[in-house]
Structures are given as structure tokens and as C-alpha cells.
Amino acid sequence: MAAVGVVAVRVLPPRLRTRVDALRAVTLSAVASGPVVGAGVLTAVAQACRDEERLRFGYTARGSAPTEREVEPHRVVALGGRWYLVAAGTPDAFTGPA
């Protein structure tokens, strides 16, 4: 993919090429950090969204005790190198310490 970007810069008019070169010289790409989500988990979550099936999973918020959640999933979103689940909590969605 990097080669494609280099080729695209070469075909730009000189006035734009210098601007793009300046931008590339001072821009960093953020590398995703954090846990890796397995393909099997993403597939299961995507299928639950598509089939409108409830999901139950363990969840631990920072500084909190583990809880179990049950949700009605709507979408899976990839953003900034992380995966997010858009879902509605069921009435009994949050169990564990209050």
C-alpha cells in the first residue's frame, strides 16, 4: 500500500506535491494499541447483530468489580484501531456489585 501512496504523490502537480510532502513529513500514524479481538469473537458478535440475538458477556470497567452484561446488539463499529459494540441493555443487563 505504501507504494501506491508514493505513486500518487509523484503524479500530483508540483505545487500540490510540496504541500503533500510537508504534510507527510510532520504527520504520524497512530498505531493501534490494546487488546486484540479474535476473528471468532467478532464473527459471533456480528452474527448476533444480524440475527437480532441477545449477547451475554463479562465486563470490567476500570477500577470496578467484574460484572456480567446482557445486551441486544445493534452494530459493530471499528474506530481508531478498536472495536465497539453498539447495543441496548436489557432490563436485567447489569448484574454484579452495585
Side-chain angles (χ1 to χ4, degrees), residues 10-90:
R10 289 183 188 157
V11 298
L12 289 173
R15 65 179 169 64
L16 292 178
R17 189 177 319 138
T18 57
R19 295 175 78 179
V20 170
D21 286 341
L23 183 60
R24 291 175 66 201
V26 298
T27 304
L28 297 175
S29 294
V31 177
S33 62
V36 175
V37 180
V41 172
L42 287 175
T43 302
V45 172
Q47 287 174 331
C49 291
R50 180 195 64 200
D51 300 341
E52 300 179 353
E53 296 176 347
R54 288 185 177 187
L55 285 174
R56 180 175 287 162
F57 54 90
Y59 176 80
T60 304
R62 187 176 302 183
S64 298
T67 60
E68 188 172 281
R69 309 249 171 135
E70 183 172 326
V71 298
E72 295 173 346
H74 180 64
R75 291 283 188 268
V76 177
V77 178
L79 180 66
R82 294 188 178 262
W83 290 99
Y84 296 90
L85 174 63
V86 178
T90 60

